[in-house]
DNA sequence: CACGGATCCTGATGGC
DNA sequence: TGCCATCAGGATCCGT
């Protein structure tokens, strides 16, 4: 479910409300992708200072450390007063003086990990090798082109890997490549400077738009207030196999790349 | 070392 | 209360 826009919309939904609150309890459900990495009681009494985002991770800074939260494929976070008992797919809940932060994650590919600091090996293993933030000034077209020159793999896979640029998942990879007019099967190293620049701009555009519109809701995304986004209404190719391309009318094609579906238009996207 | 594939888990959907 | 195969927004680990 969550790519960068959904994670960012989630962050915006509760960051200000949880900042400054004191942690009063912590409840765990079934195991997530990784263990928490500390005794739950260690968190109690600490304050939540702020909530940041790095790629698809949320970083909850606390008085003595930080929680790294990843939503995996099916995770979502809710924040507020506890109105209902935890359901069978609620596997993490952080109780604070401002409300409770609850992770709902049916598939449990998500994770919540505690680290004493961001430079800790525990934290570095998760976020230490991530690429540049696409919406930051550090995401530079020239550097992007240069990084692509070093990759022998197809461009769609490079985007998904998150080592060059973070935050682009399966939906926005297809969407950004469509916007840039680039076939997903092009070898990254073969992209010309102008085409890399187009892709650079497309990635920023598609992600920024999705954040502005509240995130995609192709499956079950909802923000921390439980409201749905509506990016789905504007997907150009994702999940549109066989439907007419919104630009040229040719049927949208689909293929498998690395066990994931890719959608593209043979007319609008050049090899 | 860089790449491609298998893998974790549950639920929804569609064909038979 | 049908059963089975396939697919789903992620990313790590492992073999080559």
């Amino acid at each position: 479910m969550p790519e960068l826009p959904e994670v960012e919309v989630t962050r915006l939904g509760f960051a200000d409300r949880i900042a400054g609150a004191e942690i009063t309890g912590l409840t765990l459900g079934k195991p997530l992708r990784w263990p928490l990495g500390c005794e739950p009681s260690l968190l109690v009494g600490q304050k939540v200072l702020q909530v940041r985002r790095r790629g698809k991770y949320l970083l909850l800074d606390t008085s003595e450390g930080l929680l790294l939260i990843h939503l995996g494929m099916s995770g979502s976070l809710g924040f507020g007063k506890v109105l209902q008992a935890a359901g069978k797919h609620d596997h993490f809940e952080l109780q604070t003086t401002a409300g409770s932060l609850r992770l709902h994650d049916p598939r449990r590919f998500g994770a919540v990990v505690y680290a004493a600091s961001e430079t800790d090996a525990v934290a570095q293993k998760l976020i230490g090798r991530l690429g540049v933030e696409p919406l930051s000034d550090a995401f530079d077209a020239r550097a992007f082109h240069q990084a692509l020159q070093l990759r022998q793999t197809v461009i769609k896979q490079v985007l998904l890997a998150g080592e060059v640029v973070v935050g682009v998942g399966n939906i926005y990879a297809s969407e950004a490549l469509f916007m840039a007019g680039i076939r997903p099967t092009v070898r990254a190293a073969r992209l010309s400077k102008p085409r890399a620049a187009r892709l650079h701009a497309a990635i920023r555009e598609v992600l920024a738009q999705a954040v502005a519109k509240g995130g995609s809701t192709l499956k079950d995304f909802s923000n921390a207030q439980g409201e749905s986004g509506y990016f789905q209404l504007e997907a150009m190719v994702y999940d549109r196999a066989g439907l007419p391309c919104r630009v040229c009318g040719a049927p949208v094609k689909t293929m498998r790349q690395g066990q994931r579906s890719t959608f593209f238009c043979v007319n609008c996207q050049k090899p």
Side-chain angles (χ1 to χ4, degrees):
Chain A
M1 172 200 82
E3 301 182 32
L4 182 149
E6 293 76 27
V7 176
E8 179 63 10
V9 168
T10 297
R11 187 185 75 82
L12 292 169
F14 78 97
D16 287 351
R17 290 187 290 152
I18 203 172
E22 183 179 325
I23 296 167
T24 55
L26 194 164
T27 310
L28 299 173
K30 285 188 181 180
L32 293 163
R33 180 163 192 171
W34 296 297
L36 178 62
C38 76
E39 283 301 317
S41 57
L42 181 63
L43 273 298
V44 177
Q46 293 196 40
K47 273 194 173 177
V48 177
L49 305 178
Q50 60 176 347
V51 185
R52 294 175 291 143
R53 181 188 55 74
R54 179 74 178 94
K56 297 170 190 168
Y57 284 90
L58 287 176
L59 310 180
L60 234 107
D61 289 305
T62 66
S63 322
E64 298 170 31
L66 75 161
L67 284 171
L68 299 99
I69 303 176
H70 199 289
L71 303 180
M73 290 275 262
S74 59
S76 60
L77 282 174
F79 180 76
K81 276 193 206 165
V82 174
L83 301 175
Q84 299 179 8
K88 66 188 281 203
H89 297 309
D90 297 329
H91 301 302
F92 173 88
E93 185 176 290
L94 189 75
Q95 291 109 27
T96 80
T97 50
S100 287
L101 185 68
R102 183 181 277 184
L103 174 66
H104 177 86
D105 187 4
R107 292 177 74 180
R108 291 189 282 123
F109 292 169
V112 182
V113 174
Y114 181 79
S117 92
E118 200 171 329
T119 54
D120 246 43
V122 184
Q124 282 299 302
K125 181 165 185 193
L126 301 183
I127 61 173
R129 290 180 34 203
L130 295 182
V132 65
E133 284 292 330
L135 299 180
S136 76
D137 291 341
F139 187 40
D140 168 73
R142 182 171 303 174
F144 181 55
H145 177 244
Q146 285 174 356
L148 294 183
Q149 295 298 107
L150 305 174
R151 302 289 168 145
Q152 304 311 307
T153 268
V154 297
I155 185 60
K156 163 101 182 306
Q157 299 294 77
V158 171
L159 294 181
L160 288 186
E163 291 162 0
V164 173
V165 58
V166 294
V168 181
N170 205 41
I171 294 180
Y172 300 112
S174 280
E175 293 295 308
L177 287 165
F178 175 83
M179 189 181 290
I182 297 167
R183 205 75 71 79
T185 46
V186 176
R187 301 245 147 222
R190 297 196 52 202
L191 280 177
S192 67
K193 203 168 175 183
R195 299 188 89 199
R198 283 197 71 183
L199 182 55
H200 168 267
I203 289 167
R204 293 182 72 113
E205 174 75 17
V206 75
L207 293 180
Q209 261 191 37
V211 171
K213 292 174 185 242
S216 161
T217 180
L218 284 161
K219 291 285 186 208
D220 52 9
F221 175 69
S222 61
N223 64 20
Q225 276 100 43
E227 301 157 340
S228 286
Y230 50 93
F231 180 83
Q232 64 177 25
L233 301 176
E234 304 182 9
M236 297 297 280
V237 287
Y238 184 80
D239 206 23
R240 287 180 51 81
L243 296 174
C245 169
R246 294 191 195 278
V247 171
C248 77
V252 172
K253 300 282 188 194
T254 185
M255 67 184 296
R256 301 288 288 182
Q257 288 183 297
Q259 293 92 243
R260 314 295 299 278
S261 290
T262 298
F263 301 87
F264 65 102
C265 171
V266 289
N267 278 340
C268 298
Q269 295 173 256
K270 306 302 181 195

